[in-house]
């Protein structure tokens, strides 16, 4: 997978999806050469002509060679001060106050498998699944080294990159920018894709022409955030869901990040990914090392679905861990939208009884069970059950669920502290704060200083004290504000700007300790919905609550947006009541159910208050989901129609089971329209030579298998070859209702 061509000084990283090549120029500089479809061998057919470019300086060693400048070559790693004026990989301040070092190639090592990154979540692989190249760059004055890591996976269309910065000299260094990745493309003929949003409106796709100058996706919130996701893609302009070249970048990090593109004077494009330097500095003493988080790069020549499937496969096989990595997830009911803070033992017992009757498998007790928390003003940090509310304690609620054969889950928000809490009264300095100015509040709460070991220990112990009863099968781990005044009472001035990154490292350490101690517990991360839906959190917790917006129509966009990077098995998706609590929309139960079936299915409503007819419908939906669950959660996901494209009025999702024998095809139309063309749905990824039977069809708002009189339903029981289903496709009936949802189930019957 990884070779070094001694004659041409070229590293060639290759699998059956791509080749990635870079060379060692003049024995010193790493120049990017090629990234795209696999090459037999890289020989340099597009050798760059030597051109003397004005205002592009020569490094000191090449004073008389006016055609050589670091400003005009594609670099794998860029430093300050030697004539490359683009965004650098590194900004390091020396004791003399300057920020210029000179890092030259020193050597390389190729390893089987993939070494772990100390203290950081990252993809993992066994020795026969991947190979890792480590290239060392060393400062010519011996001050520091940078070790660039590249891992290629045998069966996946992804490559990972990270850097380890080491202080090898005698003076203290201050890192003010320590990027994980620098990658230069020879042109800028790209669309730039990113995912933006806000609370309850996460991950809308933005696709714009890549512009000259610098464009940044990122934030300084101390979290991967609802506002900008740590994802970026560059796609050739005609790229669509099923064709075209695309390069996707996903950052395995949960704090402030920066993903920048820079199109410079000659039209080339630099991509820089790393911790956001606006929010970071790190003091590196002699002998110390700093490990950056990892970037996952997915290359696909078969469009945006190709990129997404490469991410999905890599994350399912090399990121998620533990008992639930490849296991279907339980169908849950969560009491948040059912009761908010207003519940007692009796109400929860009624919910459990009803849940069991409907076929639900897990009951989750959300916020409000601890301290004296009657609203969101108090008690975060006091993880002791409120016995006035729950007379039988947590044991009682857990027992009521367990005795009915349900699993029991519990909500925590362990990184937070309320001003009105025993914890704050005992340890006011445990909240992130600055000495001279008042702290900023958000949802009436402050953030615990997880950069401190004693605070990490408190969090681990208080959560484990509850989990050790053995009564908790599932944990929802919430995080409901971003970091302000992010400084630490436990740190000297020169280390204060490390606090935000140390907070993230502290969180990872806490999560590792807790999740490894309770391997049978299913953990779901949450941050006011999907405010920390990132690959790093998925390393510890294999699913995330996708959004606080539970409206089915909003969820079509939020879940489709999320699917550009993350597979359905990672997305919490629940049916809620109408009018919807976030947007007031009234949608049919079947549309709500079909939208929620895209992920880890559940209910977020007072199921005890449903009519008998509604309960019957819910039972049928749950039975249907249980049947399709392995296909949806463990199969391959394909977007056929995206709500971010065209009229933005239609969405179609296709799920293909692992053995490729079952297909679930969902189609949604938001608003009905007069006089529109009949929608043709062309399937994708089928075996053209295999025959598929239309096993079931669920027309809008009915679980009936019968024809809806349109012709489409009469196809049930008929068989078609894969080529026809992909080229000709299926027609959707004329729709005369808003918020319509349809489902076809196909079975491969012969090859
Ligand atoms: C935000 C979460 O996203 C909600 O689902 C719920 O758990 C609330 N927090 C509880 O405060």
């Amino acid at each position: 997978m990884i070779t070094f061509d001694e004659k041409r000084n070229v590293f060639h990283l290759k699998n059956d999806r791509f080749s990635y090549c870079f060379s060692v120029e003049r024995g010193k500089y790493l120049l990017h050469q090629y990234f795209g479809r696999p090459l037999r061998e890289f020989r340099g057919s597009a050798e760059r002509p030597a051109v003397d470019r004005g205002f592009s300086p020569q490094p000191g060693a090449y004073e008389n060679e006016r055609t050589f400048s670091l400003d005009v070559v594609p670099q794998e790693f860029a430093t300050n001060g030697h004539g490359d004026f683009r965004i650098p990989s590194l900004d390091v301040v020396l004791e003399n106050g300057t920020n210029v070092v000179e890092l030259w190639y020193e050597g390389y090592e190729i390893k089987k498998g993939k070494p772990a990154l100390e203290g950081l979540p990252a993809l993992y692989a066994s020795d026969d699944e991947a190979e890792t190249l480590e290239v060392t760059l060393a400062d010519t004055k011996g001050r520091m080294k940078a070790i660039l890591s590249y891992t290629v996976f045998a069966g996946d269309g992804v490559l990972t990159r990270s850097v380890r910065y080491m202080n090898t000299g005698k003076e203290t260094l201050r890192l003010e920018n320590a990027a994980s990745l620098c990658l230069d493309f020879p042109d800028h003929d790209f669309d730039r894709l990113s995912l933006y949003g806000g609370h309850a409106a996460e991950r809308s796709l933005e696709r714009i022409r890549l512009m000259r100058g610098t464009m940044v996706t990122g934030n300084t919130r101390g979290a991967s955030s609802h506002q900008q996701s740590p994802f970026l893609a560059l796609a050739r302009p005609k790229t669509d869901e099923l064709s075209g070249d695309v390069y996707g970048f996903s950052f395995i990090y949960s704090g402030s990040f920066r993903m920048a593109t820079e199109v410079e004077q000659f039209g080339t494009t630099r991509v820089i990914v790393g911790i956001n330097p606006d929010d970071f500095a790190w003091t590196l003493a002699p002998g110390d090392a700093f490990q950056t988080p990892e970037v996952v790069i997915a290359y696909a020549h078969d469009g945006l679905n190709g990129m997404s499937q490469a991410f999905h496969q890599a994350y399912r096989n090399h990121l998620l861990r533990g008992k639930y990595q490849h296991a279907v997830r339980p169908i849950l009911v969560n009491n948040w939208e059912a009761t908010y803070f207003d519940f007692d033992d009796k109400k929860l017992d009624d919910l459990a009884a009803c849940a069991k009757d409907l076929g639900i498998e897990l009951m989750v007790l959300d916020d409000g069970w601890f301290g004296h928390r009657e609203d969101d003003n108090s008690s975060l940090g006091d993880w002791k059950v409120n016995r006035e509310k729950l007379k039988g304690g947590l044991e009682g609620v857990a027992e009521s669920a367990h005795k009915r054969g349900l699993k029991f889950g519990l909500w925590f928000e362990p990184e937070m502290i309320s001003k009105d809490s025993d914890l704050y009264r005992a340890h006011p300095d445990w909240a992130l704060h600055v000495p001279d100015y008042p702290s900023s509040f958000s949802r009436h709460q402050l953030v615990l200083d997880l950069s401190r070991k004693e605070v990490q220990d408190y969090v681990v112990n208080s959560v484990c004290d509850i989990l050790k009863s053995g009564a908790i099968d599932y944990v929802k781990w919430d995080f409901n504000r971003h970091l302000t005044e992010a400084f630490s009472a436990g740190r000297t001035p020169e280390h204060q700007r490390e606090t935000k990154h140390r907070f993230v490292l502290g969180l990872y350490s806490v999560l590792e300790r807790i999740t490894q101690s309770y391997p049978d517990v299913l953990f779901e991360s949450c941050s006011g919905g999907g405010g920390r839906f990132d690959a790093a959190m998925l390393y510890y917790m294999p699913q995330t609550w996708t959004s606080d917006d539970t409206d089915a129509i909003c969820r079509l966009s939020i879940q489709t947006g999320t699917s550009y990077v993350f597979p359905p098995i990672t997305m919490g998706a629940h049916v809620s009541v109408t009018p919807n609590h976030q947007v007031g929309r009234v949608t049919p139960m079947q549309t709500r159910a079909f939208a929620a079936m895209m992920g880890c299915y559940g209910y977020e409503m007072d199921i005890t208050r449903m009519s008998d007819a509604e309960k019957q419908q819910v039972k049928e939906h749950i039975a249907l989901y249980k049947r399709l669950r392995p296909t949806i959660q463990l199969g391959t996901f394909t977007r056929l129609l995206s709500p971010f494209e065209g009229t933005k009025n239609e969405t179609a999702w296709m799920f293909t089971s692992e053995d490729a024998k079952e297909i679930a095809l969902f189609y949604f139309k938001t608003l009905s329209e007069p006089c529109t063309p009949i929608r043709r749905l062309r399937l994708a990824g089928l075996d053209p030579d295999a025959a598929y039977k239309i096993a079931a069809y669920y027309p809008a708002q009915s679980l009936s298998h019968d024809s809806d009189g349109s012709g489409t339903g009469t196809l049930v029981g008929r068989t078609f070859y894969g080529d026809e289903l992909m080229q000709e496709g299926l027609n959707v009936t004329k729709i005369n209702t808003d918020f319509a949802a349809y489902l076809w189930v196909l079975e491969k019957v012969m090859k």
Side-chain angles (χ1 to χ4, degrees):
M1 282 184 278
I2 301 178
T3 53
F4 183 60
D5 177 343
E6 305 268 353
K7 203 165 94 205
R8 298 187 179 85
N9 287 321
V10 170
F11 291 101
H12 190 157
L13 291 66
K14 180 176 171 178
N15 63 17
D16 54 10
R17 302 278 303 177
F18 61 78
S19 282
Y20 184 106
C21 306
F22 61 97
S23 61
V24 184
E25 176 86 12
R26 296 158 194 253
K28 300 184 176 78
Y29 308 107
L30 300 184
L31 301 196
H32 183 76
Q33 299 291 351
Y34 174 82
F35 188 18
R37 289 191 196 215
L39 298 180
R40 188 164 317 208
E41 189 180 328
F42 180 85
R43 294 190 177 178
S45 63
E47 194 177 347
R48 265 178 305 279
V51 180
D52 177 1
R53 302 285 199 181
F55 294 88
S56 289
Q58 284 68 57
Y62 301 101
E63 184 184 349
N64 298 321
E65 213 178 316
R66 290 185 47 164
T67 58
F68 181 68
S69 171
L70 295 176
D71 202 26
V72 302
V73 289
Q75 300 213 70
E76 288 287 300
F77 186 89
T79 47
N80 267 325
H82 299 290
D84 181 348
F85 294 104
R86 295 165 288 182
I87 306 172
S89 306
L90 170 69
D91 200 339
V92 56
V93 180
L94 314 183
E95 278 182 357
N96 66 14
T98 66
N99 71 347
V100 176
V101 288
E102 191 167 46
L103 293 171
W104 286 355
Y105 175 75
E106 187 181 71
Y108 75 94
E109 200 179 335
I110 295 173
K111 298 177 170 169
K112 286 204 171 306
K114 184 171 188 296
L117 302 191
E118 198 189 329
L120 284 167
L123 298 196
Y124 57 85
S126 62
D127 283 1
D128 52 359
E129 289 174 326
E131 260 179 25
T132 299
L133 167 67
E134 291 180 352
V135 181
T136 302
L137 305 177
D139 176 47
T140 50
K141 299 295 172 212
R143 287 190 166 99
M144 67 179 299
K145 289 188 180 183
I147 301 178
L148 279 52
S149 285
Y150 300 78
T151 299
V152 193
F153 294 77
D156 301 84
V158 300
L159 168 79
T160 60
R161 286 191 55 182
S162 67
V163 182
R164 188 170 176 80
Y165 295 95
M166 293 161 64
N167 184 338
T168 50
K170 294 194 172 54
E171 66 184 288
T172 297
L173 304 175
R174 185 172 166 85
L175 298 176
E176 295 194 341
N177 168 30
S180 301
L181 165 130
C182 166
L183 177 54
D184 285 344
F185 292 90
D187 64 85
H188 64 285
D189 188 20
F190 288 115
D191 287 347
R192 187 186 197 277
L193 283 71
S194 59
L195 296 167
Y196 71 95
H199 176 226
E202 298 88 338
R203 287 174 294 285
S204 283
L205 184 74
E206 175 143 84
R207 179 173 180 156
I208 51 175
R209 197 77 182 116
L210 180 61
M211 287 171 10
R212 284 186 184 270
T214 304
M215 299 173 77
V216 174
T217 299
N219 75 56
T220 56
R221 293 172 173 273
S224 44
S225 89
H226 310 80
Q227 287 73 12
Q228 301 273 326
S229 289
F231 161 76
L232 174 75
L234 296 179
R236 293 299 179 193
K238 292 204 172 72
T239 299
D240 59 22
E241 287 290 3
L242 296 168
S243 68
D245 269 24
V246 55
Y247 303 86
F249 301 84
S250 168
F251 195 29
I252 309 186
Y253 190 58
S254 314
S256 308
F257 68 94
R258 178 183 69 168
M259 304 179 92
T261 48
E262 181 175 358
V263 178
E264 48 74 90
Q265 56 184 333
F266 305 113
T268 73
T269 303
R270 170 162 293 176
V271 178
I272 287 275
V273 179
I275 297 171
N276 196 332
D278 291 341
D279 219 13
F280 166 85
W282 195 273
T283 300
L284 207 57
D288 280 0
F290 180 81
Q291 173 63 55
T292 73
E294 180 167 279
V295 186
V296 182
I297 313 165
Y299 165 75
H301 64 264
D302 47 359
L304 299 175
N305 275 307
M307 172 196 74
S308 300
Q309 285 164 6
F311 279 132
H312 294 185
Q313 195 178 335
Y315 286 168
R316 285 177 47 206
N317 295 328
H318 302 287
L319 179 74
L320 305 189
R321 300 182 297 167
K323 177 175 164 178
Y324 284 95
Q325 179 180 4
H326 298 298
V328 294
R329 312 291 166 75
I331 298 172
L332 67 80
V333 62
N334 178 305
N335 76 311
W336 178 240
E337 287 196 19
T339 65
Y340 294 104
F341 294 96
D342 185 16
F343 57 82
D344 57 17
D345 312 64
K346 164 82 175 65
K347 180 70 209 173
L348 298 175
D349 193 44
D350 290 349
L351 267 180
C354 183
K356 182 62 191 171
D357 181 49
L358 297 173
I360 288 170
E361 298 157 327
L362 161 68
M363 189 180 88
V364 179
L365 172 54
D366 209 282
D367 197 350
W369 58 267
F370 53 92
H372 60 277
R373 190 157 163 99
E374 299 301 337
D375 53 32
D376 59 14
N377 288 328
S378 79
S379 303
L380 294 169
D382 298 345
W383 300 107
K384 296 276 179 300
V385 68
N386 177 345
R387 283 201 175 256
E388 275 169 37
K389 228 175 187 176
L390 299 177
K391 304 256 177 322
L394 284 174
E395 315 84 83
V397 193
E399 198 190 317
S400 126
H402 286 152
K403 75 172 186 243
R404 294 188 165 86
L406 295 173
K407 290 178 184 297
F408 176 63
L410 194 62
W411 179 96
F412 290 90
E413 196 179 356
E415 297 153 79
M416 297 293 160
I417 180 166
S418 301
K419 201 169 168 191
D420 177 7
S421 67
D422 292 342
L423 185 65
Y424 188 79
R425 283 181 280 275
H427 297 287
D429 66 310
W430 280 14
L432 292 171
H433 68 286
V434 291
D436 299 331
Y437 300 96
S439 293
S440 304
F441 284 82
S442 182
R443 213 194 191 203
H444 310 280
Q445 62 201 55
L446 298 169
V447 183
L448 276 173
D449 182 359
L450 283 189
S451 71
R452 290 169 65 177
K453 179 74 169 65
E454 62 273 37
V455 182
Q456 295 169 20
D457 291 344
Y458 174 81
V459 169
V460 171
N461 293 336
S462 51
V463 173
C464 290
D465 272 351
I466 306 272
L467 299 189
K468 74 182 180 210
S469 69
I472 318 292
D473 307 295
Y474 158 106
V475 166
K476 178 176 175 186
W477 183 294
D478 210 343
F479 174 81
N480 282 307
R481 63 158 291 177
H482 291 148
L483 276 55
T484 55
E485 294 89 22
F487 295 93
S488 171
R491 189 147 302 116
T492 55
E494 70 272 25
H495 291 284
Q496 281 293 359
R497 297 254 350 242
E498 297 167 14
T499 304
K500 273 193 179 167
H501 182 57
R502 286 194 184 274
F503 174 90
V504 177
L505 295 177
L507 169 65
Y508 293 155
S509 162
V510 162
L511 293 178
E512 184 70 9
R513 287 164 68 187
I514 295 176
T515 56
Q516 293 307 308
S517 302
Y518 293 94
D520 289 334
V521 173
L522 171 60
F523 287 84
E524 174 158 348
S525 92
C526 172
S527 169
R532 217 165 42 180
F533 204 136
D534 61 60
M537 295 306 285
L538 288 172
Y539 179 76
Y540 302 101
M541 310 193 193
Q543 59 190 63
T544 303
W545 178 226
T546 313
S547 179
D548 269 353
D549 187 344
T550 57
D551 170 65
I553 300 308
C554 295
R555 278 296 188 120
L556 298 178
S557 306
I558 293 168
Q559 293 167 197
T560 303
T562 306
S563 80
Y564 283 97
V565 193
F566 300 108
I569 195 171
T570 62
M571 295 184 211
H574 303 168
V575 176
S576 63
V577 78
T578 57
N580 172 267
H581 287 193
Q582 291 77 38
V583 296
R585 196 175 351 252
V586 177
T587 49
M589 178 70 95
Q590 179 157 308
T591 302
R592 285 178 271 152
F594 281 11
M597 283 187 194
M598 182 197 194
C600 300
Y601 190 69
Y603 287 81
E604 186 96 8
M605 58 191 282
D606 191 347
I607 49 178
T608 65
R609 297 173 72 172
M610 292 189 302
S611 67
D612 287 347
E614 282 172 323
K615 283 184 182 161
Q616 185 50 37
Q617 212 186 355
V618 165
K619 280 184 187 171
E620 290 175 19
H621 288 146
I622 288 175
L624 175 62
Y625 183 74
K626 284 180 178 168
R627 175 187 157 197
L628 297 177
R629 174 164 52 181
T631 295
I632 290 171
Q633 294 191 2
L634 307 176
T636 301
F637 173 75
T638 308
R639 289 175 301 274
L640 294 182
L641 292 171
S642 159
F644 302 110
E645 282 166 9
T647 60
K648 303 189 163 96
N649 200 24
E650 295 171 291
T651 303
W653 300 325
M654 178 177 155
F655 301 83
T656 307
S657 63
E658 261 181 308
D659 62 7
K661 288 193 173 144
E662 183 176 72
I663 283 114
L665 170 62
F666 291 87
Y667 170 81
F668 303 88
K669 181 155 182 174
T670 303
L671 295 180
S672 84
E673 303 159 295
C675 196
T676 48
I678 297 293
R679 160 57 70 189
R680 184 79 64 92
L681 277 180
R682 293 185 174 85
L683 283 70
L686 300 181
D687 177 347
D689 302 322
Y692 296 83
K693 183 170 93 181
I694 313 253
Y697 168 61
Y698 301 94
Q701 284 117 60
S702 156
L703 261 192
S704 148
H705 289 230
D706 297 330
S707 158
D708 60 357
S710 67
T712 313
T714 57
L715 299 180
V716 173
R718 291 183 57 190
T719 297
F720 303 92
Y721 282 103
D723 57 357
E724 187 177 356
L725 290 168
M726 291 191 288
Q727 307 308 323
E728 270 288 274
L730 298 169
N731 274 330
V732 181
T733 185
K734 180 173 177 344
I735 295 169
N736 60 0
T737 177
D738 287 345
F739 316 131
Y742 294 77
L743 164 64
W744 291 258
V745 181
L746 288 84
E747 286 166 8
K748 191 175 182 181
V749 286
M750 61 171 219
K751 163 86 185 174

